[in-house]
Amino acid sequence: MKHIRNFCIIAHIDHGKSTLADRLLEYTNTLDKKDLQAQVLDDMELERERGITIKSHAIQMEYVKDGQPYILNLIDTPGHVDFSYEVSRSIAACEGALLIVDAAQGIQAQTISNLYMAIEHDLEIIPILNKIDLPQANPDEVEDQIVELLGCPREDILRASGKTGEGVWKVLDTIVEKIPAPKGDPDAPLQALIFDSVFNPFRGIIAYFKILNGTVRSGDLVKFFATGKEYEADEVGILKLSLSPRNAIGCGDVGYIISGIKTSKEVKVGDTITHVKIPCSRAIEGFEEVKPMVFAGLYPVETEDFENLRASLEKLQLNDASLTFQPESSVALGFGFRCGFLGLLHMEIIQERLNREFDMDVITTVPNVSYKVYDKKGNCLEVHNPAGLPDATLIEKIEEPYIRASVITNTTYIGPIMTLCLGKRGTLVKQDYISGDRVEIIYDLPLGEIVIDFYDKLKSISKGYASFDYHMYDYRPSRLVKLDILLNGEPVDALSSLTHVDNAISFGRRMCEKLKELIPRQQFDIAIQAAIGAKIISRETIKAVRKDVTAKCYGGDISRKRKLLEKQKEGKKRMKQVGNVEVPQKAFLAVLKLD
């Protein structure tokens, strides 16, 4: 056990953690030269296309120092805030963390929030200054920032470059010297923490775990704490680039278990595995529940795919525990699911993964939050979906959820951030100066205002220097109205939204203009209207595609042409009565990007 080191890599997005992980794998000869490629651990097609890490990936390396072999278990983590739940799970399975800071960009928001998460779990932090080979690198100034943030001596900060490989040997030596070996008792009852799981169509569910106490051997009878179900461990092993079976996995090590589980509900991330004969007394603590920020409906394009969509979401939830969903139905779209996501990027990624991994085409509705609606008799109704809102004449008041938000930022960006929060109907609670030029601003904000684009705007106006955290605070009465979108007089419930009275008219107008661009032209005119109750507040018309029916009349009497045009007009009128307007998926997504 004293020769095992478990560590993760944490950093802000695009500070070069995956590239540095590549160098560590290359220098420890974990991969053959022919297997080497950029961002080896980002094995999802989507991760490579976008150049971001979405999933945390575990891999085992072997390193020899002073003639003594060591086992290094590395967990590479995402940097984007929408996947911070992945980071929290990786941190729970480690004793140390490499904190990587880009020498050109300096310390950024996600670096700080991930660092605080690591410090809460008592991890040994190794600060690394990456990308020192860049011409615009400013290592001395960034080192000052790290010293101020961590309070560590300047000589503890390692300088490295994931691209050229400079300083990588020093990183490997420091991991062995500084990160403590895992604590635990190999002879105690088995206690293993599940930190991730994947679905394999041939072998069932594969759970990745870290053993805190005891040992697990293949063929053992094991029990999952949360569900109480018992299984036989068909195969246990360690994680190289692919799965590598072993007879036994000892205390402190990271590995996987295959026990032929077919139902995804039986494996929960954060659960504890123990032996059936000598079980441990309690489950492992320290796993927080995830807080979804954005709720949206996911509906299959074909109604009969509903069950397939459920199965796909369950399999996806195994791999991404921050996704939550429950069934719902809509007039326009049929049966589907109301899903909770951590943010808009997370929502987009889930949609892409459903399409690529499970071949599911889905329609996503406008994201929203849940409201409390009081009628004139004093009854309270919880509404998750604008379609479920009672008639406006029966409503006494609507209360919307408010959050207490904390934004940590550089003093340079206080002005624009306050303007943004005020524009979102926020009220300032207080502001505190944390250190030299860092400030914490606390606001009360309506959750409905921040679910769509607040986070993206905050990131862009603060150049990525603002970190954002929140917790639910209370419900407050608000002047909200339901905005309906009508196509040829028919309401499309998937596009309806609850919005504040002051924003309703401009929002309705912008929605109509956007839909006019996105809905393809038909053989008949399409009227797009935005309405509050019975009052139409905006209208756009998509003109019909016209076929020139008089083309074959060259010369001759005008009445011949008129007869043809009248006949065409009749046809168009009939078509308008029976034709229905297909709203493309892009239109549902465009609503989110309205500025």
Side-chain angles (χ1 to χ4, degrees):
M1 246 177 82
K2 63 177 190 288
H3 297 129
I4 296 176
R5 301 286 182 272
N6 298 322
F7 66 99
C8 59
I9 297 184
I10 55 179
H12 191 83
I13 190 166
D14 200 27
H15 279 207
K17 11 173 218 323
S18 300
T19 314
L20 193 69
D22 289 354
R23 292 293 82 75
L24 295 175
L25 296 177
E26 185 186 338
Y27 283 36
T28 52
N29 298 323
T30 306
L31 299 180
D32 294 339
K33 281 277 188 279
K34 66 176 188 295
D35 290 333
L36 278 176
Q37 53 172 342
Q39 281 92 24
V40 176
L41 293 178
D42 294 351
D43 53 5
M44 224 187 286
E45 217 176 284
L46 225 93
E47 294 179 313
R48 298 187 162 279
E49 273 174 30
R50 292 177 177 239
I52 55 174
T53 307
I54 294 168
K55 286 290 305 160
S56 53
H57 296 274
I59 192 162
Q60 191 176 95
M61 305 180 282
E62 281 150 19
Y63 178 61
V64 180
K65 185 179 189 298
D66 306 331
Q68 175 66 54
Y70 287 90
I71 289 175
L72 311 181
N73 288 314
L74 153 73
I75 304 180
D76 179 27
T77 63
H80 197 284
V81 68
D82 274 16
F83 308 110
S84 56
Y85 188 62
E86 291 283 328
V87 182
S88 74
R89 289 160 33 191
S90 309
I91 285 174
C94 294
E95 282 81 36
L98 305 185
L99 178 76
I100 293 181
V101 182
D102 185 329
Q105 298 178 54
I107 284 182
Q108 294 193 336
Q110 209 47 40
T111 318
I112 295 164
S113 48
N114 285 344
L115 173 69
Y116 287 155
M117 221 188 293
I119 290 172
E120 273 169 32
H121 282 79
D122 287 339
L123 299 196
E124 177 67 41
I125 312 281
I126 299 175
I128 297 172
L129 205 57
N130 195 19
K131 304 193 185 181
I132 55 166
D133 57 309
L134 288 179
Q136 69 270 33
N138 194 347
D140 297 333
E141 194 178 303
V142 178
E143 268 186 6
D144 290 341
Q145 293 177 13
I146 297 176
V147 170
E148 193 176 328
L149 180 69
L150 274 176
C152 63
R154 188 179 273 273
E155 55 273 13
D156 282 4
I157 302 169
L158 306 178
R159 293 190 177 193
S161 163
K163 194 172 175 187
T164 62
E166 185 184 336
V168 174
W169 290 118
K170 183 83 181 107
V171 172
L172 285 164
D173 285 345
T174 314
I175 289 168
V176 170
E177 289 160 14
K178 287 208 170 164
I179 292 179
K183 300 178 183 68
D185 181 356
D187 305 320
L190 173 67
Q191 213 180 11
L193 170 79
I194 300 179
F195 66 87
D196 203 356
S197 55
V198 289
F199 182 80
N200 182 312
F202 305 108
R203 313 201 57 182
I205 291 160
I206 304 170
Y208 298 161
F209 60 80
K210 180 206 172 180
I211 298 186
L212 296 192
N213 294 308
T215 308
V216 64
R217 293 176 175 78
S218 66
D220 280 358
L221 225 64
V222 294
K223 181 172 90 170
F224 285 38
F225 235 87
T227 56
K229 295 266 173 54
E230 299 176 3
Y231 309 98
E232 187 178 330
D234 298 337
E235 181 181 310
V236 295
I238 57 164
L239 301 152
K240 291 285 193 185
L241 200 54
S242 51
L243 307 177
S244 169
R246 296 282 187 273
N247 291 329
I249 306 271
C251 183
D253 218 337
V254 172
Y256 70 90
I257 179 169
I258 299 176
S259 43
I261 306 171
K262 289 287 187 283
T263 355
S264 45
K265 286 194 182 73
E266 292 174 22
V267 178
K268 287 188 167 60
V269 168
D271 195 2
T272 305
I273 306 176
T274 186
H275 280 133
V276 172
K277 289 181 183 150
I278 323 167
C280 57
S281 53
R282 59 192 175 83
I284 299 164
E285 292 164 5
F287 238 78
E288 70 242 34
E289 274 302 302
V290 60
K291 303 181 286 195
M293 274 199 179
V294 179
F295 294 91
L298 285 187
Y299 292 87
V301 175
E302 301 296 332
T303 335
E304 58 267 24
D305 285 343
F306 175 71
E307 281 305 324
N308 295 350
L309 180 59
R310 184 198 294 271
S312 308
L313 282 168
E314 280 176 357
K315 286 171 191 167
L316 213 86
Q317 198 177 31
L318 274 175
N319 201 234
D320 182 350
S322 51
L323 170 70
T324 58
F325 63 91
Q326 62 196 61
E328 72 161 5
S329 65
S330 139
V331 185
L333 300 168
F335 290 105
F337 295 93
R338 175 135 297 256
C339 303
F341 307 98
L342 294 182
L344 281 187
L345 176 69
H346 186 212
M347 178 170 135
E348 217 173 297
I349 295 290
I350 292 287
Q351 222 177 315
E352 275 282 313
R353 287 184 68 184
L354 279 171
N355 192 349
R356 293 185 187 201
E357 294 170 31
F358 305 100
D359 211 13
M360 289 297 312
D361 271 338
V362 290
I363 292 172
T364 316
T365 64
V366 183
N368 54 25
V369 296
S370 57
Y371 298 91
K372 285 184 178 171
V373 179
Y374 292 87
D375 63 13
K376 300 251 163 95
K377 293 175 184 167
N379 300 327
C380 175
L381 176 74
E382 196 163 284
V383 175
H384 293 275
N385 198 337
L389 204 66
D391 192 65
T393 52
L394 305 173
I395 297 172
E396 178 67 37
K397 62 173 180 175
I398 301 177
E399 290 188 348
E400 64 176 334
Y402 265 71
I403 57 163
R404 177 64 55 97
S406 142
V407 178
I408 299 176
T409 178
N410 200 309
T411 44
T412 328
Y413 307 111
I414 293 182
I417 288 174
M418 285 188 161
T419 313
L420 173 70
C421 293
L422 289 171
K424 298 283 183 190
R425 315 200 321 264
T427 45
L428 178 65
V429 180
K430 62 171 181 175
Q431 72 185 62
D432 293 324
Y433 285 85
I434 302 170
S435 68
D437 59 349
R438 302 186 50 70
V439 63
E440 180 180 28
I441 312 172
I442 293 180
Y443 262 93
D444 281 352
L445 286 155
L447 184 58
E449 291 280 347
I450 69 155
V451 294
I452 294 191
D453 58 356
F454 177 80
Y455 198 79
D456 303 350
K457 283 185 177 166
L458 180 69
K459 278 287 170 221
S460 57
I461 61 176
S462 67
K463 300 192 172 60
Y465 274 84
S467 67
F468 173 67
D469 193 30
Y470 80 99
H471 58 268
M472 279 299 300
Y473 195 59
D474 58 3
Y475 278 81
R476 300 182 190 179
S478 199
R479 291 174 59 217
L480 298 168
V481 288
K482 182 183 171 193
L483 182 74
D484 284 315
I485 298 293
L486 314 173
L487 293 180
N488 282 343
E490 288 293 316
V492 182
D493 64 345
L495 283 173
S496 56
S497 55
L498 274 176
T499 177
H500 196 263
V501 174
D502 302 345
N503 309 338
I505 292 178
S506 65
F507 184 63
R509 197 168 292 148
R510 293 202 311 269
M511 286 243 316
C512 289
E513 285 163 8
K514 196 77 184 168
L515 288 171
K516 184 181 179 182
E517 289 169 28
L518 293 165
I519 293 177
R521 287 170 73 183
Q522 311 276 348
Q523 303 263 332
F524 50 89
D525 284 5
I526 303 170
I528 304 170
Q529 294 165 311
I532 296 172
K535 182 185 172 192
I536 303 291
I537 55 171
S538 171
R539 169 177 172 137
E540 295 284 338
T541 309
I542 299 175
K543 283 298 183 195
V545 180
R546 232 185 112 233
K547 180 183 174 188
D548 190 359
V549 285
T550 59
K552 59 185 179 192
C553 302
Y554 42 95
D557 188 4
I558 184 70
S559 59
R560 287 181 61 204
K561 290 187 178 179
R562 189 156 292 137
K563 185 178 153 196
L564 288 168
L565 288 168
E566 287 298 323
K567 192 174 167 190
Q568 184 188 31
K569 197 172 170 186
E570 280 300 311
K572 296 264 185 215
K573 195 171 165 188
R574 202 165 54 246
M575 205 184 272
K576 187 171 182 173
Q577 285 164 359
V578 295
N580 64 344
V581 185
E582 283 285 307
V583 183
Q585 171 64 30
K586 285 206 298 266
F588 291 106
L589 287 176
V591 178
L592 323 181
K593 304 213 163 45
L594 278 180
D595 273 334

